[in-house]
Amino acid sequence: MEQAKLEKVKSVIRDVPDFPSRGILFRDLTTLFKDAEALAIISDELRAMYAGKGITKVVGIEARGFVGASILAHDLKAGFVPMRKPGKLPADTIKLTYNKEYGTDTIEIHSDAITPDDIVVIHDDVLATGGTMKAAYDLVKSCNPKKIYINFIVELSALNGRRLFEDSDIDMQSVLVY
Ligand code: AMP
């Protein structure tokens, strides 16, 4: 990304210390999404990353991932698929439960959302420890699509979430790395 654009985008990401709990520096992208110029820069970058790859579906992870995933799906003329917390999706679902630092979490997609003909991008706003995206990847993989790409707007490299995806030939890209 051009330096001026990079600086613009970074300048509108709000850092919130001790949210949602003590010791976490939360990268708040709502201040990026509300800035028309920054949102256009991010949208252009996302489109450029995946144009010409034959993407048919973009999966967004609830809830902060819905914004970028919807924009990317629209721009690529692909479909949008929500990945949600349990009990939110109305029809038949497939789900995956995964371990977190304390306890477990579950994510779901509609069982007819992804087919073996699909080429999929899974998108979330921020890569932190990577646990959420790893579960999302495993759930989408169980639908046997042709290919899966993984995308974030922001990657927090100090937390090394990338290590969870090292064993495979997964194509993971982030617009910004901190
Ligand atoms: P992860 O640890 O990668 O499973 O992160 C779980 C989710 O929490 C991601 O979808 C992010 O949206 C969010 N998240 C975790 N840590 C941060 C952070 N420091 N700043 C902003 N979002 C975060």
Side-chain angles (χ1 to χ4, degrees), residues 19-20 24-29 61-62 64-65 98 100 124-134 152 156 159 161:
F19 182 89
I24 295 185
L25 179 62
F26 194 85
R27 307 289 185 168
D28 176 20
L29 300 195
I61 300 181
E62 181 175 357
R64 291 180 289 266
Y98 60 102
K100 306 234 297 183
D124 204 356
D125 66 335
V126 174
L127 172 63
T129 65
T132 307
M133 184 56 87
K134 182 63 168 64
F152 300 93
L156 305 176
L159 297 173

Side-chain angles (χ1 to χ4, degrees), residues 2-178:
E2 280 168 36
Q3 193 61 28
K5 289 183 178 176
L6 189 64
E7 276 165 23
K8 166 67 196 180
V9 168
K10 285 194 164 177
S11 75
V12 294
I13 293 175
R14 174 162 56 192
D15 292 345
V16 185
D18 298 321
F19 182 89
S21 52
R22 188 173 268 278
I24 295 185
L25 179 62
F26 194 85
R27 307 289 185 168
D28 176 20
L29 300 195
T30 64
T31 41
L32 186 161
F33 294 144
K34 77 170 181 179
D35 186 297
E37 186 190 344
L39 186 60
I41 292 169
I42 292 295
S43 307
D44 290 348
E45 291 292 323
L46 289 175
R47 185 176 54 240
M49 280 177 175
Y50 298 101
K53 292 192 156 72
I55 307 296
T56 57
K57 301 264 171 63
V58 183
V59 176
I61 300 181
E62 181 175 357
R64 291 180 289 266
F66 287 176
V67 180
S70 304
I71 291 169
L72 181 58
H74 172 267
D75 286 352
L76 295 176
K77 301 204 181 329
F80 168 78
V81 172
M83 181 168 288
R84 300 205 63 181
K85 290 165 187 144
K88 306 281 188 185
L89 291 168
D92 188 46
T93 61
I94 53 171
K95 61 187 81 177
L96 194 149
T97 298
Y98 60 102
N99 290 319
K100 306 234 297 183
E101 197 174 350
Y102 300 104
T104 62
D105 236 333
T106 300
I107 46 169
E108 291 188 340
I109 53 172
H110 275 137
S111 43
D112 58 2
I114 309 282
T115 70
D117 292 333
D118 280 320
I119 299 175
V120 179
V121 181
I122 313 174
H123 169 88
D124 204 356
D125 66 335
V126 174
L127 172 63
T129 65
T132 307
M133 184 56 87
K134 182 63 168 64
Y137 175 83
D138 289 342
L139 189 54
V140 171
K141 181 98 176 152
S142 73
C143 303
N144 291 310
K146 281 188 193 153
K147 176 144 179 88
I148 304 172
Y149 295 88
I150 293 177
N151 174 266
F152 300 93
I153 297 175
V154 170
E155 176 172 344
L156 305 176
S157 60
L159 297 173
N160 200 16
R162 229 171 224 281
R163 79 192 183 289
L164 297 180
F165 303 93
E166 262 167 9
D167 294 343
S168 48
D169 59 350
I170 302 168
D171 183 317
M172 180 192 288
Q173 290 195 78
S174 309
V175 180
L176 303 167
V177 179
Y178 279 86

